[in-house]
Amino acid sequence: MEINQLHVLLVCNLGASTGVMVTKMKEIAQNSEKLKNTDVKIEAHPAGELREHIEDFDVILVGPQIKHQLKHLSEIAAEYNKPIQVIDTKDYGTVNGANILKDAIILKMNK
């Protein structure tokens, strides 16, 4: 199944810790044959700014360091009918942008 748009919002505590992940994920998306015709946008913002940005994104990924906020963030995501999940701790810790990007694609396709 081909997707023509993949807009991923990563939310974390201050938006800084996911900056490295965003860079890695963008690099992987740009070099991906499967995503070459896909409009990809990946950004990181603090969890407190979720409402300000959520409408511009297809899926929301939550940094594992703030998974304790998932219930609250999920309620916001539900208001906008956006899928949300916590980023795998191991993938986050090893900056495995490929796996996280794959999770975002699966999350969007299963919406």
Side-chain angles (χ1 to χ4, degrees):
M1 179 181 212
E2 190 175 312
I3 55 174
N4 57 6
Q5 175 180 298
L6 179 65
H7 292 180
V8 182
L9 175 60
L10 282 69
V11 292
C12 66
N13 210 20
L14 298 173
S17 61
T18 52
V20 173
M21 186 62 67
V22 167
T23 301
K24 186 71 170 173
M25 290 172 69
K26 284 180 177 180
E27 177 184 304
I28 290 164
Q30 289 169 351
N31 294 320
S32 169
E33 188 66 27
K34 289 183 178 181
L35 295 175
K36 72 178 181 180
N37 296 320
T38 303
D39 172 21
V40 177
K41 176 168 85 168
I42 305 167
E43 292 181 12
H45 293 284
E49 296 178 6
L50 180 58
R51 284 190 193 278
E52 296 172 39
H53 301 284
I54 193 167
E55 290 189 72
D56 298 328
F57 294 89
D58 303 313
V59 298
I60 316 304
L61 298 178
V62 178
Q65 71 276 27
I66 61 162
K67 65 181 170 189
H68 62 279
Q69 294 185 37
L70 183 61
K71 183 177 187 285
H72 170 69
L73 297 172
S74 293
E75 290 169 357
I76 296 169
E79 291 175 29
Y80 294 87
N81 195 30
K82 305 284 181 165
I84 185 170
Q85 75 179 29
V86 175
I87 298 170
D88 179 87
T89 303
K90 183 177 177 186
D91 289 338
Y92 190 85
T94 58
V95 193
N96 190 333
N99 276 356
I100 296 170
L101 191 60
K102 182 175 74 173
D103 287 346
I105 292 168
I106 292 167
L107 188 60
K108 177 175 171 133
M109 292 173 63
N110 290 335
K111 178 182 169 203

